[in-house]
């Protein structure tokens, strides 16, 4: 069984394939990790489709994936605070990939994995929960204020809902009708974005308007909630800054630092954050895992279990 999954040229899913590649060598400030679990994100298929090619140079063949958890195999020059054999989780090098037996992680975007946090949960944190953390912090809703999350049922939304709820914020989120109970289990009020009475439900949930809005959908999503966005409401979009600019949105600022990841893992260990990994696919089914995310409607997070490789 080959050890990596990626693509050989930009395009649709038909360009994806299993790859035989040499073990990567860590450069300065990089860690070589044996991957036990890899998170699956919308950015993965976006990279494959060439959406980021203007600013992300990829050598072909390219390996998919941006976040992983595993065990340190080798340290690059200048890496402090980690040792061979440590369980860690973090973000891959830009364009590096981690749907693979081995991946290179950026030391400044990697953290130790607490023993009580599973590799599967840890692999789900850097991109989605990291984005949620940075966005909620930037929006800064305080206890008693409201946060409206557009697209609450996916990886970023479920984490943002829990982080805000933990700070005493009242969370309202848009999701498909099927996800109502799921969203409510996160302590948020669910609003069906396809419901005939969408506007009525929204106004009832936010009678004084929203204090903060996190857009994870883009397109017309912000227009559809404009009735609850008044001057003074702080808005961020993780997906469509152009539309969000019409609502005076703040530009999103991402950190993914070791400190952020450490904080997220601590919350998971304390039972205050659940990345909601609702689908775990064996490595052999990497194509199906990415298809689930590319559908645009996954439940929480999708993760690849790399320990399922027959050669492991
Ligand atoms: N720039 C960055 O650093 C960064 C980082 C992370 C994510 N992002 C972006 O942020 C977005 C969300 O990421 P994610 O990881 O949460 O995605 P995800 O896990 O794929 O979830 C997307 C969610 O959106 C929901 N959705 C689809 N259409 C919707 C609509 N019209 N109204 C409300 N909800 C809708 C889907 O569920 P239902 O339709 O079933 O409710 C799904 O749960 C993506 O565009 C991603 O690329 C950006």
């Amino acid at each position: 069984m080959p050890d990596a999954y990626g693509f050989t040229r930009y395009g649709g899913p038909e360009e994806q394939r299993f790859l035989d590649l040499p073990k990567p060598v860590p450069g300065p400030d990089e860690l070589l990790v044996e991957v036990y679990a890899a998170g699956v994100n919308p950015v993965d298929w976006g990279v494959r489709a060439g959406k980021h090619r203007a600013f992300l140079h990829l050598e072909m063949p390219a390996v998919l994936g941006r976040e992983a958890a595993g065990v340190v195999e080798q340290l690059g020059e200048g890496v402090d605070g980690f040792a061979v054999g440590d369980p860690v989780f973090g973000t891959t090098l830009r364009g590096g990939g981690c749907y693979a037996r081995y991946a290179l992680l950026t030391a400044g975007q990697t953290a130790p994995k607490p023993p009580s946090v599973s590799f599967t949960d840890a692999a789900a944190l850097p991109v989605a929960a990291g984005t949620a953390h940075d966005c909620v912090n930037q929006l800064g809703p305080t206890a008693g204020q409201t946060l409206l999350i557009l697209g609450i049922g996916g990886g970023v939304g479920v984490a943002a809902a829990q982080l805000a709820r933990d700070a005493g914020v009242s969370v309202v989120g848009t999701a498909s009708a099927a996800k109502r109970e799921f969203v409510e289990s996160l302590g948020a009020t669910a609003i069906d974005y396809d419901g005939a009475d969408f506007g009525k439900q929204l106004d009832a949930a936010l009678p004084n308007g929203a204090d903060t809005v996190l857009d994870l959908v883009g397109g017309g999503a912000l227009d559809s909630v404009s009735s609850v966005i008044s001057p003074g409401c702080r808005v961020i979009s993780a997906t469509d800054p152009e539309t969000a600019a019409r609502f005076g949105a703040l530009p999103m600022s991402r950190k993914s630092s070791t400190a952020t990841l450490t904080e997220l893992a601590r919350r998971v260990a304390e039972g205050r954050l659940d990345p909601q990994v609702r689908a775990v696919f064996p490595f052999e089914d990497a194509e199906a895992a990415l298809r689930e995310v590319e559908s645009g409607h996954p439940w929480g997070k999708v993760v690849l279990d790399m320990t399922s490789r027959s050669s492991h």
Side-chain angles (χ1 to χ4, degrees), residues 40-43 45 51 127-128 131-132 149-158 174-179 191 193-194 215-218 221 237-240 252 254 292-302:
V40 181
N41 290 287
V43 68
W45 68 262
K51 289 208 286 182
V127 174
T131 301
I149 302 173
L150 307 176
I152 195 170
V156 180
V158 297
T174 63
S176 52
K179 286 186 177 150
I191 301 190
Y193 59 79
D194 263 344
D215 169 37
L216 304 170
V217 179
S237 177
T239 187
D240 186 356
M252 184 178 64
R254 288 282 285 117
E292 170 120 352
V293 170
E294 195 161 355
S295 77
H297 304 280
W299 291 59
K301 282 288 299 183
V302 174

Side-chain angles (χ1 to χ4, degrees), residues 6 86 142 163 192 231 244 246 272 291 304:
D86 282 354
T142 52
L163 294 170
D192 169 14
R246 287 199 278 108
R272 292 156 59 206
R291 186 172 357 110
L304 275 183

Side-chain angles (χ1 to χ4, degrees), residues 177-226:
K179 286 186 177 150
R180 173 172 295 278
E181 275 181 34
F182 176 47
V183 172
E184 287 174 350
S185 75
L186 305 170
T189 301
I191 301 190
D192 169 14
Y193 59 79
D194 263 344
D197 58 349
F198 174 77
K200 228 166 115 184
Q201 279 190 48
L202 184 70
D203 292 338
L206 293 163
N208 301 316
D211 295 303
T212 55
V213 177
L214 175 56
D215 169 37
L216 304 170
V217 179
L222 278 168
D223 292 313
S224 74
V225 300
S226 59

Side-chain angles (χ1 to χ4, degrees), residues 84-150:
V84 170
D86 282 354
V88 296
F89 68 105
T91 313
T92 64
L93 304 192
R94 278 175 69 79
C98 59
Y99 294 8
R101 177 164 189 185
Y102 295 104
L104 296 174
L105 302 186
T106 305
Q109 298 181 336
T110 298
K113 184 191 78 62
S116 63
V117 176
S118 67
F119 283 99
T120 305
D121 277 354
L125 295 175
V127 174
T131 301
H133 174 277
D134 292 347
C135 289
V136 170
N137 270 11
Q138 249 191 297
L139 287 167
T142 52
Q145 288 197 317
T146 54
L147 169 65
L148 171 61
I149 302 173
L150 307 176

Side-chain angles (χ1 to χ4, degrees), residues 249-271:
L250 309 164
M252 184 178 64
S253 163
R254 288 282 285 117
K255 290 200 184 84
S256 299
S257 64
T258 298
T260 299
L261 297 183
T262 302
E263 152 79 4
L264 291 169
R266 186 171 57 79
R267 285 173 183 260
V268 176
E270 291 171 356

